[in-house]
């Protein structure tokens, strides 16, 4: 009888703990409040682009999050953030999740990630008129070459790692590294193949000759690290949507 009583007490304790965990989950908060809060930078074309005139957002990420909110039966609210505070925002509860972000060991220390649903590769870019000055990565890794990058992005760390001998110029959001190159204040910037394909359509920039893609990186949503209930929901939602072709169709809509 004593063993039975102990087992019953353990089951009851487990049930209470499970209920408490659900009550503390972002999923419960979202369903109760009717709003999914998503942190997004609005400066990563074509993933998330903010229109300052209307304060509205568009892009691949925006379509993904809007669909997630629809399936949850709630409204979506896009919360402005920047790259240097992106992780802190989700950790502090300023939003329930973020849009796409590169999975990195540094971010994994303090935040959770969903399963990946897209990947990027990184290239260096320069102005078309300066392309003949470079050939390969080592041609960039020189003190007289200025490499521009944005504070808090994965590109900042990669720029310092790849070009330790170059002059690294760090700008803070909403400024971006590529803007420094376009303005003539830097020689090179690095970015993903996704953003690069949109930039070379709009601006006179090209991939640096002789450079192969580097740092293939899976992309996922940032989530509260300890909220396994919410992480499980998002991961299973991704699987369902992948099976139905949603991610593939949405990527095609944005030229990815």
């Amino acid at each position: 009888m004593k063993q039975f009583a102990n087992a019953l007490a353990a089951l009851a304790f487990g049930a209470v703990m499970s209920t408490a965990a659900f009550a503390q989950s972002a999923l419960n908060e979202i369903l109760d409040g009717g709003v999914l809060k998503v942190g997004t930078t609005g400066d990563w074309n074509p993933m998330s682009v903010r229109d300052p005139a209307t304060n509205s957002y568009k892009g691949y990420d925006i379509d993904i999050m809007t669909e997630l909110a629809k399936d949850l039966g709630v409204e979506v609210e896009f919360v402005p953030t920047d790259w240097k505070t992106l992780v802190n925002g989700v950790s502090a509860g300023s939003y329930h999740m973020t849009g796409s972000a590169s999975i990195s060991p540094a971010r994994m220390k303090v935040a959770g990630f969903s399963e990946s649903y897209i990947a990027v590769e990184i290239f260096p870019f320069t102005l078309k008129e300066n392309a003949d000055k470079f050939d390969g990565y080592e041609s960039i890794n020189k003190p007289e070459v200025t490499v521009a990058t944005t504070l808090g992005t994965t590109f900042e760390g990669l720029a310092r790692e790849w070009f330790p001998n170059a002059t690294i110029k760090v700008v803070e959001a909403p400024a971006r590294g590529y803007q420094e190159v376009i303005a003539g204040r830097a020689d090179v910037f690095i970015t993903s193949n996704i953003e690069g394909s949109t930039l070379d359509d709009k601006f006179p920039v090209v991939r640096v000759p002789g450079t192969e893609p580097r740092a293939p990186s899976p992309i996922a949503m940032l989530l509260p690290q300890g909220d396994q209930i919410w992480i499980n929901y998002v991961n299973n939602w991704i699987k369902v949507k992948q099976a139905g072709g949603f991610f593939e169709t949405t990527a095609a809509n944005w030229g990815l």
Side-chain angles (χ1 to χ4, degrees):
M1 284 295 294
K2 185 176 181 181
Q3 288 180 334
F4 176 76
N6 289 340
L8 191 61
L11 286 172
F13 178 76
V16 169
M17 292 302 292
S18 178
T19 302
F22 180 73
Q24 296 169 3
S25 173
L27 178 59
N28 184 250
E29 180 181 315
I30 293 162
L31 296 177
D32 283 348
V35 178
L36 170 64
K37 295 182 180 180
V38 180
T40 190
T41 62
D43 64 353
W44 187 14
N45 191 13
M47 309 300 277
S48 171
V49 182
R50 177 178 171 270
D51 182 351
T54 62
N55 200 32
S56 61
Y57 294 85
K58 64 179 181 179
Y60 173 85
D61 274 358
I62 308 308
D63 288 355
I64 297 296
M65 299 305 167
T66 300
E67 183 76 2
L68 174 57
K70 185 181 79 172
D71 287 346
L72 282 163
V74 301
E75 299 296 318
V76 63
E77 176 186 336
F78 293 105
V79 181
T81 186
D82 56 44
W83 293 105
K84 69 178 182 296
T85 60
L86 187 70
V87 176
N88 290 341
V90 76
S91 299
S94 301
Y95 29 82
H96 302 116
M97 65 193 313
T98 72
S100 297
S102 299
I103 299 175
S104 70
R107 287 172 173 167
M108 287 189 295
K109 291 177 182 178
V110 292
F113 278 97
S114 72
E115 292 191 1
S116 178
Y117 43 85
I118 196 169
V120 298
E121 295 176 322
I122 314 302
F123 289 90
F125 287 77
T126 189
L127 289 175
K128 289 181 180 178
E129 63 188 59
N130 294 333
D132 59 357
K133 298 179 181 179
F134 301 103
D135 184 15
Y137 282 91
E138 281 309 306
S139 67
I140 302 170
N141 191 29
K142 298 177 180 179
E144 63 269 24
V145 177
T146 300
V147 179
T149 187
T150 306
L151 181 67
T153 62
T154 56
F155 304 138
E156 180 191 359
L158 292 175
R160 296 184 187 281
E161 176 186 342
W162 294 350
F163 311 118
N165 297 323
T167 301
I168 305 298
K169 183 176 185 180
V170 180
V171 296
E172 290 198 43
R176 293 292 306 279
Y178 74 81
Q179 294 170 331
E180 294 298 296
V181 173
I182 293 168
R185 295 187 291 267
D187 304 299
V188 172
F189 66 95
I190 62 173
T191 192
S192 66
N193 56 319
I194 289 176
E195 183 176 54
S197 65
T198 64
L199 292 177
D200 63 18
D201 283 341
K202 294 174 61 177
F203 303 107
V205 297
V206 293
R207 292 181 185 176
V208 170
T211 56
E212 73 286 353
R214 282 186 174 181
S217 177
I219 298 296
M221 308 163 192
L222 280 163
L223 299 160
Q225 190 178 56
D227 194 345
Q228 197 59 52
I229 291 173
W230 180 220
I231 292 172
N232 288 345
Y233 180 92
V234 173
N235 282 342
N236 285 316
W237 181 83
I238 289 171
K239 291 176 184 176
V240 169
K241 288 298 181 178
Q242 284 176 327
F246 171 71
F247 283 93
E248 185 177 357
T249 300
T250 305
N253 290 341
W254 289 99
L256 302 178

